[in-house]
Amino acid sequence: MWDGRIQQIQSAEIPTEQRAIGNSWPRTRWTRRDKDSRSLKAGGRPPPALKQGHFALFHGVARTFQPHPPNTQPLTPPTPIQQLPLDPVQVIGRWPASMPLAVRWNADPESGNSVTLGLPALTRTATTQPELGSLLQELTPGEKRAGGSGWFGWVSYEAGKAFESAAIGSSSPKPDHAWPLASFQRIESSISFDLTRNTWSVSSDPFGIPWMQLARPGDKAASPHFLPRLDPHANRERYTKSVERAIEYIRAGDVYQVNLAHRLSAPFTGSPRSLFAHLASRAKPWHGGYYETGEYALASISPELFLEADLKSRTVRTRPMKGTRAFSEQDHDAAHADLASSAKDRAELAMIVDLMRNDLGRICELGSVRVEQDRRIERHQSGVLQSTATVSGKLRPGSTLSDILRATFPPGSVTGAPKIRAMQIIDELEPVCRGPYCGTMIWLGDDGRVSANVMIRTLSFSADRLHYSVGAGIVADSRSDSEWLETLDKASMLLSPERTTVQAAASSVEVPSRFNGAKTRGL
């Protein structure tokens, strides 16, 4: 599987700029044993949590790690890479297909504005409630102090019902895919690209990064992607009926708001990595990411921040998002004015801000939760305007990632308010389990920093199929056709090279359903 890449890298093979950071290279060795018990030598330190004789399952390969001295080096800044004249899309394309890859794409101008590519060292997965609890307890900042090392993974929407069993509806949706409740990978080796300076740097232990393949791409890099034909009309009738039923619940006083989604699916061939790189390079997601195992892949082009925290300084903030308008350069000002003046969108956001204040209050010090910004409109390269708010607080001493998720997950912007009753209604009205959609993709660095998105605008790949779900927030004055159109705006990067149009008399929708990379709007 590894095609000869598990072998000691000789110094002559290492570019000069990497040899200059020789004191970052490991001096210990560990042993990998594959299924037929052959021993191969490889370089690099195992994750600090792994002890002698500990086995970890890594894409079907069992590894036995030998002991190593603890890393007590202080946190060091990334080391610049002078001779990697490639952008992130090119590096993803040249990354060997047989070598696993994890990507964090953070184009938020206020927090990072970078792309980080990591080499997973092991994968931990939870499929049951007890396993979920054990996995989340394990996710703590590691002993290693390199700036780019840590845990990267995701938590499914259904994990929220494991945290709060009262949220399970009387008629649960069909689990048509065997998605885990959560899955995380340990990242020891990573490189980062600064989107402002257009420069690469080594974020953590450089061993394992396929320098030779990046410099001289071979024939085993990621294959092209072939975007399937998605039918935007497939779910319209069922979705509009669900919206009307949700409005009845709202008018009966069950909830103030409920977020309803529908899923578009089609066969998929080619490389999920390639499709993610293509979409991310055009949409420039503020909180995107790519996660893969041997069974599935997730490509998140999310614009929404769920949580940003520092477990050491105990700061936390959330930025819920409610209100969407598609725009082009010609009608940007009109779309901005329409969203800014929308009483419906303002009311939706206010409800979710109140919900998130309550959620943060469960884990923060008394009196520390405050609304930093009640509403602002963000412009995203994906071709949409989004209205957001920012809520922050001071975590209680000793708070862990597990504690934070149990108090706040799933994000209020993808459930509704009150959260538990809204989740029950979602169970009743949506035909299939959400799985990764509306969950969260999380980075927990060894420096104690946490960044978690809301997994909207997220593609999932499993069993040769692509799935893409979209939703809208339903309130008392919602109109089912308008809400359905809003969901198509959110799917524009996969559906439509032209503006969605509505024939007012018949309320029918015309959406070209074949992707055209040269003409696509909304990316």
Side-chain angles (χ1 to χ4, degrees):
M1 172 180 173
W2 282 74
D3 193 28
R5 274 179 279 274
I6 307 183
Q7 46 185 283
Q8 186 172 355
I9 296 181
Q10 303 298 325
S11 61
E13 297 177 326
I14 305 168
T16 302
E17 62 274 14
Q18 268 66 57
R19 292 204 298 271
I21 56 171
N23 58 2
S24 297
W25 286 75
R27 298 187 178 121
T28 57
R29 320 302 294 168
W30 53 273
T31 302
R32 167 186 177 269
R33 296 186 183 274
D34 60 17
K35 291 180 180 178
D36 59 6
S37 299
R38 289 173 298 176
S39 257
L40 299 175
K41 292 295 184 182
R45 301 183 194 87
L50 297 177
K51 307 300 182 183
Q52 185 175 13
H54 183 106
F55 282 82
L57 186 63
F58 176 35
H59 293 276
V61 178
R63 291 179 173 177
T64 306
F65 296 98
Q66 304 301 328
H68 62 280
N71 188 332
T72 58
Q73 295 179 353
L75 184 65
T76 55
T79 302
I81 302 172
Q82 304 298 333
Q83 299 177 15
L84 190 59
L86 306 171
D87 62 30
V89 173
Q90 293 170 316
V91 172
I92 292 172
R94 295 185 180 194
W95 197 275
S98 59
M99 185 173 287
L101 173 66
V103 183
R104 296 171 58 219
W105 196 299
N106 179 1
D108 185 344
E110 295 181 2
S111 60
N113 205 25
S114 63
V115 179
T116 301
L117 280 66
L119 179 68
L122 75 146
T123 297
R124 291 293 312 276
T125 294
T127 59
T128 65
Q129 185 172 346
E131 290 176 353
L132 176 64
S134 298
L135 175 56
L136 293 180
Q137 288 295 330
E138 183 180 340
L139 299 181
T140 57
E143 298 172 7
K144 191 169 182 178
R145 295 286 289 157
S149 61
W151 289 96
F152 178 64
W154 64 281
V155 180
S156 76
Y157 172 84
E158 273 66 39
K161 290 176 277 189
F163 296 149
E164 180 55 76
S165 60
I168 301 174
S170 56
S171 56
S172 297
K174 180 176 66 174
D176 61 338
H177 286 78
W179 295 111
L181 292 176
S183 183
F184 281 81
Q185 294 172 337
R186 178 69 192 174
I187 306 298
E188 295 285 317
S189 303
S190 65
I191 55 175
S192 292
F193 185 80
D194 188 312
L195 293 169
T196 302
R197 298 182 177 87
N198 293 325
T199 57
W200 286 96
S201 59
V202 176
S203 296
S204 59
D205 191 346
F207 187 92
I209 301 298
W211 303 110
M212 298 303 101
Q213 288 80 6
L214 297 183
R216 298 188 297 272
D219 59 358
K220 292 190 177 182
S223 59
H225 64 270
F226 304 93
L227 198 66
R229 182 184 183 91
L230 296 171
D231 181 5
H233 301 280
N235 305 323
R236 184 183 180 191
E237 181 178 358
R238 179 169 189 140
Y239 184 77
T240 54
K241 287 182 178 179
S242 295
V243 170
E244 290 163 3
R245 180 62 179 139
I247 294 172
E248 292 177 4
Y249 277 123
I250 293 169
R251 291 175 177 169
D254 283 49
V255 285
Y256 304 112
Q257 178 186 163
V258 61
N259 190 88
L260 285 183
H262 64 97
R263 190 176 73 187
L264 304 171
S265 300
F268 178 80
T269 58
S271 167
R273 291 182 189 177
S274 177
L275 180 53
F276 167 75
H278 170 73
L279 295 175
S281 68
R282 304 188 68 175
K284 296 178 174 58
W286 284 21
H287 303 284
Y290 177 80
Y291 187 94
E292 67 179 17
T293 71
E295 292 75 39
Y296 64 87
L298 303 177
S300 184
I301 316 294
S302 176
E304 185 172 359
L305 175 70
F306 172 36
L307 292 168
E308 193 171 70
D310 189 322
L311 299 182
K312 297 184 178 178
S313 67
R314 297 192 288 119
T315 57
V316 64
R317 70 170 180 144
T318 181
R319 195 161 64 205
M321 179 177 287
K322 276 296 172 185
T324 304
R325 294 293 185 277
F327 73 91
S328 65
E329 292 301 326
Q330 293 73 30
D331 64 6
H332 170 271
D333 291 345
H336 188 285
D338 183 57
L339 180 56
S341 62
S342 170
K344 172 186 176 294
D345 291 306
R346 183 179 293 275
E348 282 189 48
L349 183 59
M351 292 178 198
I352 301 306
V353 166
D354 189 55
L355 186 156
M356 294 307 296
R357 287 176 60 194
N358 180 70
D359 283 356
L360 286 185
R362 300 170 63 187
I363 196 66
C364 288
E365 291 183 345
L366 184 65
S368 69
V369 178
R370 65 188 184 92
V371 179
E372 291 186 1
Q373 192 169 37
D374 61 355
R375 193 174 190 232
R376 76 171 182 179
I377 295 178
E378 300 171 349
R379 171 176 170 149
H380 292 263
Q381 290 293 325
S382 56
V384 294
L385 301 171
Q386 305 277 185
S387 60
T388 67
T390 303
V391 185
S392 66
K394 185 80 168 181
L395 293 169
R396 294 172 190 159
S399 296
T400 65
L401 176 60
S402 178
D403 297 329
I404 297 171
L405 290 177
R406 290 180 183 278
T408 62
F409 189 81
S413 61
V414 295
T415 59
K419 182 185 283 188
I420 290 178
R421 182 61 181 131
M423 291 176 69
Q424 293 171 346
I425 293 172
I426 289 169
D427 267 9
E428 176 189 335
L429 298 181
E430 292 187 8
V432 294
C433 288
R434 289 182 171 184
Y437 174 66
C438 290
T440 179
M441 191 170 280
I442 302 173
W443 168 256
L444 171 60
D446 284 344
D447 56 3
R449 295 181 181 179
V450 176
S451 179
N453 77 355
V454 180
M455 279 206 287
I456 55 174
R457 324 291 158 82
T458 297
L459 300 89
S460 58
F461 305 85
S462 177
D464 297 321
R465 290 188 67 81
L466 175 151
H467 305 284
Y468 186 78
S469 296
V470 284
I474 313 303
V475 292
D477 58 351
S478 290
R479 294 178 58 249
S480 58
D481 282 341
S482 296
E483 300 297 346
W484 185 71
L485 284 175
E486 180 178 329
T487 69
L488 296 190
D489 280 341
K490 296 168 182 176
S492 60
M493 68 178 182
L494 295 177
L495 287 177
S496 176
E498 301 174 4
R499 177 175 298 281
T500 299
T501 60
V502 181
Q503 297 179 357
S507 295
S508 63
V509 179
E510 299 175 355
V511 183
S513 57
R514 188 63 180 171
F515 178 85
N516 183 329
K519 298 181 179 179
T520 298
R521 69 170 301 278
L523 282 182

